[in-house]
mmCIF file of all heavy atoms in Angstrom:
data_model
loop_
_atom_site.group_PDB
_atom_site.id
_atom_site.type_symbol
_atom_site.label_atom_id
_atom_site.label_comp_id
_atom_site.label_asym_id
_atom_site.label_seq_id
_atom_site.Cartn_x
_atom_site.Cartn_y
_atom_site.Cartn_z
ATOM 1 N N ALA A 123 16.367 3.369 15.516
ATOM 2 C CA ALA A 123 16.696 4.472 14.611
ATOM 3 C C ALA A 123 15.800 4.390 13.379
ATOM 4 O O ALA A 123 15.316 3.316 13.034
ATOM 5 C CB ALA A 123 18.161 4.387 14.191
ATOM 6 N N PRO A 124 15.577 5.505 12.707
ATOM 7 C CA PRO A 124 14.796 5.457 11.473
ATOM 8 C C PRO A 124 15.510 4.579 10.445
ATOM 9 O O PRO A 124 16.739 4.429 10.488
ATOM 10 C CB PRO A 124 14.766 6.911 11.000
ATOM 11 C CG PRO A 124 15.123 7.729 12.192
ATOM 12 C CD PRO A 124 15.988 6.864 13.048
ATOM 13 N N PRO A 125 14.779 4.016 9.504
ATOM 14 C CA PRO A 125 15.423 3.230 8.449
ATOM 15 C C PRO A 125 16.400 4.092 7.669
ATOM 16 O O PRO A 125 16.181 5.289 7.495
ATOM 17 C CB PRO A 125 14.266 2.781 7.558
ATOM 18 C CG PRO A 125 13.023 3.084 8.295
ATOM 19 C CD PRO A 125 13.333 4.081 9.342
ATOM 20 N N LYS A 126 17.458 3.487 7.178
ATOM 21 C CA LYS A 126 18.475 4.237 6.420
ATOM 22 C C LYS A 126 18.016 4.559 5.008
ATOM 23 O O LYS A 126 18.457 5.521 4.406
ATOM 24 C CB LYS A 126 19.778 3.442 6.396
ATOM 25 C CG LYS A 126 20.407 3.313 7.757
ATOM 26 C CD LYS A 126 21.670 2.489 7.710
ATOM 27 C CE LYS A 126 22.213 2.387 9.134
ATOM 28 N NZ LYS A 126 22.984 1.204 9.365
ATOM 29 N N VAL A 127 17.139 3.710 4.458
ATOM 30 C CA VAL A 127 16.668 3.885 3.088
ATOM 31 C C VAL A 127 15.143 3.722 3.080
ATOM 32 O O VAL A 127 14.608 2.838 3.746
ATOM 33 C CB VAL A 127 17.309 2.840 2.152
ATOM 34 C CG1 VAL A 127 16.833 3.015 0.730
ATOM 35 C CG2 VAL A 127 18.826 2.909 2.203
ATOM 36 N N LEU A 128 14.477 4.589 2.337
ATOM 37 C CA LEU A 128 13.023 4.509 2.213
ATOM 38 C C LEU A 128 12.616 4.390 0.749
ATOM 39 O O LEU A 128 13.211 5.032 -0.115
ATOM 40 C CB LEU A 128 12.346 5.766 2.765
ATOM 41 C CG LEU A 128 12.402 6.033 4.249
ATOM 42 C CD1 LEU A 128 11.733 7.369 4.559
ATOM 43 C CD2 LEU A 128 11.757 4.921 5.033
ATOM 44 N N LEU A 129 11.621 3.569 0.510
ATOM 45 C CA LEU A 129 10.921 3.577 -0.765
ATOM 46 C C LEU A 129 9.603 4.273 -0.481
ATOM 47 O O LEU A 129 8.804 3.814 0.339
ATOM 48 C CB LEU A 129 10.675 2.159 -1.286
ATOM 49 C CG LEU A 129 9.725 2.049 -2.478
ATOM 50 C CD1 LEU A 129 10.269 2.813 -3.686
ATOM 51 C CD2 LEU A 129 9.450 0.607 -2.816
ATOM 52 N N ILE A 130 9.394 5.408 -1.131
ATOM 53 C CA ILE A 130 8.182 6.192 -0.927
ATOM 54 C C ILE A 130 7.374 6.141 -2.221
ATOM 55 O O ILE A 130 7.881 6.501 -3.287
ATOM 56 C CB ILE A 130 8.507 7.663 -0.576
ATOM 57 C CG1 ILE A 130 9.410 7.708 0.669
ATOM 58 C CG2 ILE A 130 7.228 8.461 -0.382
ATOM 59 C CD1 ILE A 130 10.005 9.074 0.938
ATOM 60 N N VAL A 131 6.145 5.665 -2.119
ATOM 61 C CA VAL A 131 5.248 5.621 -3.273
ATOM 62 C C VAL A 131 4.156 6.652 -3.028
ATOM 63 O O VAL A 131 3.457 6.599 -2.022
ATOM 64 C CB VAL A 131 4.637 4.218 -3.460
ATOM 65 C CG1 VAL A 131 3.658 4.212 -4.627
ATOM 66 C CG2 VAL A 131 5.734 3.174 -3.658
ATOM 67 N N ARG A 132 4.057 7.610 -3.936
ATOM 68 C CA ARG A 132 3.036 8.657 -3.833
ATOM 69 C C ARG A 132 1.990 8.387 -4.897
ATOM 70 O O ARG A 132 2.299 8.280 -6.079
ATOM 71 C CB ARG A 132 3.662 10.029 -4.067
ATOM 72 C CG ARG A 132 2.666 11.157 -4.015
ATOM 73 C CD ARG A 132 3.331 12.481 -4.418
ATOM 74 N NE ARG A 132 2.353 13.506 -4.603
ATOM 75 C CZ ARG A 132 1.736 13.769 -5.751
ATOM 76 N NH1 ARG A 132 2.008 13.079 -6.824
ATOM 77 N NH2 ARG A 132 0.838 14.730 -5.831
ATOM 78 N N GLU A 133 0.757 8.243 -4.446
ATOM 79 C CA GLU A 133 -0.348 8.012 -5.360
ATOM 80 C C GLU A 133 -1.302 9.198 -5.285
ATOM 81 O O GLU A 133 -1.719 9.582 -4.202
ATOM 82 C CB GLU A 133 -1.115 6.738 -4.994
ATOM 83 C CG GLU A 133 -0.313 5.484 -5.138
ATOM 84 C CD GLU A 133 -1.099 4.221 -4.806
ATOM 85 O OE1 GLU A 133 -2.249 4.334 -4.324
ATOM 86 O OE2 GLU A 133 -0.560 3.127 -5.028
ATOM 87 N N GLU A 134 -1.600 9.756 -6.430
ATOM 88 C CA GLU A 134 -2.619 10.792 -6.486
ATOM 89 C C GLU A 134 -3.892 10.116 -6.969
ATOM 90 O O GLU A 134 -3.934 9.517 -8.045
ATOM 91 C CB GLU A 134 -2.214 11.927 -7.432
ATOM 92 C CG GLU A 134 -3.147 13.099 -7.322
ATOM 93 C CD GLU A 134 -2.640 14.309 -8.088
ATOM 94 O OE1 GLU A 134 -1.420 14.469 -8.228
ATOM 95 O OE2 GLU A 134 -3.490 15.092 -8.539
ATOM 96 N N ILE A 135 -4.932 10.173 -6.135
ATOM 97 C CA ILE A 135 -6.176 9.486 -6.404
ATOM 98 C C ILE A 135 -7.143 10.437 -7.112
ATOM 99 O O ILE A 135 -7.240 11.614 -6.768
ATOM 100 C CB ILE A 135 -6.814 8.973 -5.082
ATOM 101 C CG1 ILE A 135 -5.777 8.223 -4.238
ATOM 102 C CG2 ILE A 135 -8.044 8.124 -5.353
ATOM 103 C CD1 ILE A 135 -5.087 7.076 -4.928
ATOM 104 N N LYS A 136 -7.844 9.909 -8.107
ATOM 105 C CA LYS A 136 -8.819 10.736 -8.831
ATOM 106 C C LYS A 136 -9.909 11.211 -7.874
ATOM 107 O O LYS A 136 -10.290 10.488 -6.947
ATOM 108 C CB LYS A 136 -9.433 9.939 -9.971
ATOM 109 C CG LYS A 136 -8.454 9.651 -11.095
ATOM 110 C CD LYS A 136 -9.109 8.848 -12.196
ATOM 111 C CE LYS A 136 -8.102 8.570 -13.312
ATOM 112 N NZ LYS A 136 -8.674 7.689 -14.352
ATOM 113 N N PRO A 137 -10.411 12.443 -8.078
ATOM 114 C CA PRO A 137 -11.470 12.962 -7.209
ATOM 115 C C PRO A 137 -12.670 12.007 -7.162
ATOM 116 O O PRO A 137 -13.085 11.455 -8.180
ATOM 117 C CB PRO A 137 -11.856 14.293 -7.870
ATOM 118 C CG PRO A 137 -10.614 14.710 -8.601
ATOM 119 C CD PRO A 137 -9.986 13.426 -9.084
ATOM 120 N N GLY A 138 -13.178 11.804 -5.948
ATOM 121 C CA GLY A 138 -14.328 10.936 -5.746
ATOM 122 C C GLY A 138 -14.003 9.456 -5.641
ATOM 123 O O GLY A 138 -14.897 8.639 -5.436
ATOM 124 N N MET A 139 -12.729 9.106 -5.780
ATOM 125 C CA MET A 139 -12.346 7.692 -5.785
ATOM 126 C C MET A 139 -11.636 7.253 -4.498
ATOM 127 O O MET A 139 -11.182 6.123 -4.398
ATOM 128 C CB MET A 139 -11.435 7.398 -6.984
ATOM 129 C CG MET A 139 -12.083 7.633 -8.330
ATOM 130 S SD MET A 139 -13.518 6.573 -8.617
ATOM 131 C CE MET A 139 -12.753 4.995 -8.819
ATOM 132 N N MET A 140 -11.546 8.145 -3.502
ATOM 133 C CA MET A 140 -10.790 7.803 -2.295
ATOM 134 C C MET A 140 -11.403 6.621 -1.549
ATOM 135 O O MET A 140 -10.686 5.764 -1.049
ATOM 136 C CB MET A 140 -10.656 9.014 -1.383
ATOM 137 C CG MET A 140 -9.608 8.837 -0.309
ATOM 138 S SD MET A 140 -7.985 8.392 -0.948
ATOM 139 C CE MET A 140 -7.083 9.843 -0.580
ATOM 140 N N GLY A 141 -12.715 6.539 -1.469
ATOM 141 C CA GLY A 141 -13.370 5.410 -0.799
ATOM 142 C C GLY A 141 -13.070 4.091 -1.501
ATOM 143 O O GLY A 141 -12.736 3.092 -0.855
ATOM 144 N N ALA A 142 -13.198 4.094 -2.817
ATOM 145 C CA ALA A 142 -12.892 2.885 -3.592
ATOM 146 C C ALA A 142 -11.418 2.525 -3.449
ATOM 147 O O ALA A 142 -11.059 1.346 -3.357
ATOM 148 C CB ALA A 142 -13.250 3.097 -5.059
ATOM 149 N N HIS A 143 -10.557 3.547 -3.416
ATOM 150 C CA HIS A 143 -9.130 3.285 -3.264
ATOM 151 C C HIS A 143 -8.824 2.685 -1.892
ATOM 152 O O HIS A 143 -7.989 1.798 -1.776
ATOM 153 C CB HIS A 143 -8.319 4.565 -3.468
ATOM 154 C CG HIS A 143 -6.848 4.343 -3.376
ATOM 155 N ND1 HIS A 143 -6.167 4.490 -2.186
ATOM 156 C CD2 HIS A 143 -5.946 3.945 -4.296
ATOM 157 C CE1 HIS A 143 -4.891 4.202 -2.398
ATOM 158 N NE2 HIS A 143 -4.737 3.870 -3.658
ATOM 159 N N ALA A 144 -9.495 3.152 -0.855
ATOM 160 C CA ALA A 144 -9.280 2.606 0.491
ATOM 161 C C ALA A 144 -9.641 1.117 0.521
ATOM 162 O O ALA A 144 -8.917 0.296 1.091
ATOM 163 C CB ALA A 144 -10.090 3.384 1.514
ATOM 164 N N ARG A 145 -10.751 0.752 -0.110
ATOM 165 C CA ARG A 145 -11.145 -0.656 -0.182
ATOM 166 C C ARG A 145 -10.123 -1.462 -0.981
ATOM 167 O O ARG A 145 -9.701 -2.541 -0.592
ATOM 168 C CB ARG A 145 -12.527 -0.790 -0.818
ATOM 169 C CG ARG A 145 -13.006 -2.247 -0.914
ATOM 170 C CD ARG A 145 -14.061 -2.468 -1.996
ATOM 171 N NE ARG A 145 -13.771 -1.939 -3.307
ATOM 172 C CZ ARG A 145 -12.993 -2.549 -4.221
ATOM 173 N NH1 ARG A 145 -12.374 -3.670 -3.951
ATOM 174 N NH2 ARG A 145 -12.807 -1.994 -5.414
ATOM 175 N N HIS A 146 -9.706 -0.890 -2.100
ATOM 176 C CA HIS A 146 -8.730 -1.528 -2.982
ATOM 177 C C HIS A 146 -7.415 -1.782 -2.235
ATOM 178 O O HIS A 146 -6.846 -2.875 -2.296
ATOM 179 C CB HIS A 146 -8.506 -0.616 -4.197
ATOM 180 C CG HIS A 146 -7.611 -1.168 -5.239
ATOM 181 N ND1 HIS A 146 -6.288 -0.845 -5.309
ATOM 182 C CD2 HIS A 146 -7.861 -2.023 -6.253
ATOM 183 C CE1 HIS A 146 -5.745 -1.475 -6.338
ATOM 184 N NE2 HIS A 146 -6.679 -2.190 -6.926
ATOM 185 N N SER A 147 -6.954 -0.783 -1.498
ATOM 186 C CA SER A 147 -5.707 -0.921 -0.737
ATOM 187 C C SER A 147 -5.847 -1.968 0.361
ATOM 188 O O SER A 147 -4.928 -2.754 0.604
ATOM 189 C CB SER A 147 -5.307 0.415 -0.126
ATOM 190 O OG SER A 147 -5.005 1.336 -1.142
ATOM 191 N N ALA A 148 -6.995 -1.985 1.025
ATOM 192 C CA ALA A 148 -7.237 -2.991 2.072
ATOM 193 C C ALA A 148 -7.235 -4.395 1.476
ATOM 194 O O ALA A 148 -6.720 -5.341 2.090
ATOM 195 C CB ALA A 148 -8.559 -2.704 2.778
ATOM 196 N N ASP A 149 -7.780 -4.537 0.266
ATOM 197 C CA ASP A 149 -7.745 -5.844 -0.401
ATOM 198 C C ASP A 149 -6.311 -6.263 -0.710
ATOM 199 O O ASP A 149 -5.951 -7.432 -0.558
ATOM 200 C CB ASP A 149 -8.565 -5.813 -1.688
ATOM 201 C CG ASP A 149 -10.069 -5.775 -1.433
ATOM 202 O OD1 ASP A 149 -10.487 -6.043 -0.281
ATOM 203 O OD2 ASP A 149 -10.825 -5.477 -2.385
ATOM 204 N N PHE A 150 -5.476 -5.309 -1.145
ATOM 205 C CA PHE A 150 -4.065 -5.621 -1.402
ATOM 206 C C PHE A 150 -3.357 -6.041 -0.115
ATOM 207 O O PHE A 150 -2.557 -6.972 -0.112
ATOM 208 C CB PHE A 150 -3.331 -4.437 -2.033
ATOM 209 C CG PHE A 150 -3.017 -4.642 -3.489
ATOM 210 C CD1 PHE A 150 -3.609 -3.843 -4.438
ATOM 211 C CD2 PHE A 150 -2.145 -5.626 -3.904
ATOM 212 C CE1 PHE A 150 -3.337 -4.022 -5.786
ATOM 213 C CE2 PHE A 150 -1.862 -5.821 -5.244
ATOM 214 C CZ PHE A 150 -2.461 -5.021 -6.187
ATOM 215 N N VAL A 151 -3.654 -5.360 0.980
ATOM 216 C CA VAL A 151 -3.062 -5.728 2.271
ATOM 217 C C VAL A 151 -3.462 -7.155 2.631
ATOM 218 O O VAL A 151 -2.647 -7.941 3.113
ATOM 219 C CB VAL A 151 -3.478 -4.730 3.377
ATOM 220 C CG1 VAL A 151 -3.116 -5.254 4.758
ATOM 221 C CG2 VAL A 151 -2.828 -3.377 3.133
ATOM 222 N N GLY A 152 -4.718 -7.509 2.382
ATOM 223 C CA GLY A 152 -5.172 -8.874 2.633
ATOM 224 C C GLY A 152 -4.405 -9.894 1.815
ATOM 225 O O GLY A 152 -4.027 -10.954 2.314
ATOM 226 N N VAL A 153 -4.146 -9.565 0.553
ATOM 227 C CA VAL A 153 -3.367 -10.456 -0.315
ATOM 228 C C VAL A 153 -1.945 -10.591 0.223
ATOM 229 O O VAL A 153 -1.406 -11.701 0.311
ATOM 230 C CB VAL A 153 -3.368 -9.942 -1.771
ATOM 231 C CG1 VAL A 153 -2.339 -10.674 -2.614
ATOM 232 C CG2 VAL A 153 -4.753 -10.071 -2.380
ATOM 233 N N PHE A 154 -1.324 -9.470 0.582
ATOM 234 C CA PHE A 154 0.033 -9.510 1.137
ATOM 235 C C PHE A 154 0.074 -10.393 2.391
ATOM 236 O O PHE A 154 1.011 -11.163 2.578
ATOM 237 C CB PHE A 154 0.535 -8.112 1.482
ATOM 238 C CG PHE A 154 0.950 -7.271 0.298
ATOM 239 C CD1 PHE A 154 1.328 -5.956 0.480
ATOM 240 C CD2 PHE A 154 0.960 -7.773 -0.988
ATOM 241 C CE1 PHE A 154 1.725 -5.163 -0.591
ATOM 242 C CE2 PHE A 154 1.347 -7.001 -2.067
ATOM 243 C CZ PHE A 154 1.725 -5.690 -1.869
ATOM 244 N N ASN A 155 -0.946 -10.257 3.237
ATOM 245 C CA ASN A 155 -0.985 -11.081 4.457
ATOM 246 C C ASN A 155 -1.152 -12.555 4.131
ATOM 247 O O ASN A 155 -0.479 -13.407 4.721
ATOM 248 C CB ASN A 155 -2.108 -10.620 5.389
ATOM 249 C CG ASN A 155 -1.772 -9.344 6.116
ATOM 250 O OD1 ASN A 155 -0.607 -9.027 6.337
ATOM 251 N ND2 ASN A 155 -2.784 -8.594 6.482
ATOM 252 N N GLN A 156 -2.053 -12.876 3.204
ATOM 253 C CA GLN A 156 -2.276 -14.279 2.855
ATOM 254 C C GLN A 156 -1.043 -14.901 2.211
ATOM 255 O O GLN A 156 -0.742 -16.072 2.445
ATOM 256 C CB GLN A 156 -3.473 -14.417 1.918
ATOM 257 C CG GLN A 156 -4.792 -14.215 2.617
ATOM 258 C CD GLN A 156 -5.969 -14.365 1.662
ATOM 259 O OE1 GLN A 156 -5.841 -14.181 0.454
ATOM 260 N NE2 GLN A 156 -7.133 -14.689 2.209
ATOM 261 N N LEU A 157 -0.335 -14.132 1.400
ATOM 262 C CA LEU A 157 0.876 -14.640 0.753
ATOM 263 C C LEU A 157 2.089 -14.575 1.680
ATOM 264 O O LEU A 157 3.152 -15.059 1.328
ATOM 265 C CB LEU A 157 1.163 -13.855 -0.528
ATOM 266 C CG LEU A 157 0.153 -14.022 -1.655
ATOM 267 C CD1 LEU A 157 0.513 -13.100 -2.824
ATOM 268 C CD2 LEU A 157 0.092 -15.468 -2.119
ATOM 269 N N GLN A 158 1.911 -13.954 2.844
ATOM 270 C CA GLN A 158 2.978 -13.789 3.832
ATOM 271 C C GLN A 158 4.221 -13.139 3.203
ATOM 272 O O GLN A 158 5.336 -13.621 3.334
ATOM 273 C CB GLN A 158 3.331 -15.120 4.485
ATOM 274 C CG GLN A 158 2.168 -15.704 5.255
ATOM 275 C CD GLN A 158 2.486 -17.034 5.910
ATOM 276 O OE1 GLN A 158 3.466 -17.689 5.589
ATOM 277 N NE2 GLN A 158 1.645 -17.422 6.838
ATOM 278 N N THR A 159 3.994 -12.013 2.522
ATOM 279 C CA THR A 159 5.102 -11.294 1.900
ATOM 280 C C THR A 159 5.913 -10.565 2.975
ATOM 281 O O THR A 159 5.388 -10.237 4.038
ATOM 282 C CB THR A 159 4.591 -10.253 0.879
ATOM 283 O OG1 THR A 159 3.905 -9.232 1.579
ATOM 284 C CG2 THR A 159 3.685 -10.889 -0.158
ATOM 285 N N PRO A 160 7.185 -10.283 2.687
ATOM 286 C CA PRO A 160 8.003 -9.529 3.636
ATOM 287 C C PRO A 160 7.777 -8.022 3.527
ATOM 288 O O PRO A 160 8.464 -7.236 4.156
ATOM 289 C CB PRO A 160 9.429 -9.888 3.215
ATOM 290 C CG PRO A 160 9.319 -10.125 1.747
ATOM 291 C CD PRO A 160 7.960 -10.759 1.544
ATOM 292 N N ASN A 161 6.792 -7.631 2.725
ATOM 293 C CA ASN A 161 6.530 -6.225 2.442
ATOM 294 C C ASN A 161 5.718 -5.609 3.576
ATOM 295 O O ASN A 161 4.533 -5.903 3.727
ATOM 296 C CB ASN A 161 5.773 -6.126 1.113
ATOM 297 C CG ASN A 161 5.731 -4.735 0.566
ATOM 298 O OD1 ASN A 161 5.814 -3.764 1.306
ATOM 299 N ND2 ASN A 161 5.604 -4.614 -0.736
ATOM 300 N N HIS A 162 6.351 -4.752 4.363
ATOM 301 C CA HIS A 162 5.669 -4.022 5.438
ATOM 302 C C HIS A 162 5.748 -2.545 5.096
ATOM 303 O O HIS A 162 6.823 -2.022 4.850
ATOM 304 C CB HIS A 162 6.337 -4.289 6.784
ATOM 305 C CG HIS A 162 6.334 -5.735 7.149
ATOM 306 N ND1 HIS A 162 5.230 -6.365 7.664
ATOM 307 C CD2 HIS A 162 7.292 -6.676 7.040
ATOM 308 C CE1 HIS A 162 5.510 -7.631 7.882
ATOM 309 N NE2 HIS A 162 6.758 -7.854 7.507
ATOM 310 N N ARG A 163 4.613 -1.891 5.065
ATOM 311 C CA ARG A 163 4.609 -0.487 4.691
ATOM 312 C C ARG A 163 3.679 0.300 5.592
ATOM 313 O O ARG A 163 2.754 -0.235 6.190
ATOM 314 C CB ARG A 163 4.217 -0.315 3.233
ATOM 315 C CG ARG A 163 2.781 -0.697 2.937
ATOM 316 C CD ARG A 163 2.482 -0.586 1.465
ATOM 317 N NE ARG A 163 1.056 -0.813 1.218
ATOM 318 C CZ ARG A 163 0.513 -0.853 0.041
ATOM 319 N NH1 ARG A 163 1.262 -0.664 -1.030
ATOM 320 N NH2 ARG A 163 -0.763 -1.057 -0.122
ATOM 321 N N ILE A 164 3.943 1.580 5.643
ATOM 322 C CA ILE A 164 3.086 2.509 6.365
ATOM 323 C C ILE A 164 2.325 3.306 5.310
ATOM 324 O O ILE A 164 2.932 3.841 4.378
ATOM 325 C CB ILE A 164 3.918 3.452 7.259
ATOM 326 C CG1 ILE A 164 4.627 2.656 8.342
ATOM 327 C CG2 ILE A 164 3.026 4.527 7.869
ATOM 328 C CD1 ILE A 164 5.587 3.476 9.167
#
């Protein structure tokens, strides 16, 4: 079943910064993986 509660984070990225943001987000995912956080997000 779908989760009963969602935390939704909406980020509006400045024009021209989407590529840098994608790299930045991938780096954060790497940190989460290395720290083995319980944070799983889509």
Side-chain angles (χ1 to χ4, degrees):
K126 294 178 181 153
V127 180
L128 292 177
L129 169 61
I130 304 169
V131 177
R132 178 187 170 271
E133 295 182 353
E134 189 171 331
I135 311 305
K136 291 179 180 175
M139 298 298 289
M140 195 55 112
H143 182 268
R145 180 203 49 81
H146 184 263
S147 295
D149 287 346
F150 253 115
V151 168
V153 168
F154 284 175
N155 285 334
Q156 286 180 336
L157 293 176
Q158 297 180 345
T159 67
N161 193 334
H162 301 281
R163 67 184 186 184
I164 296 173

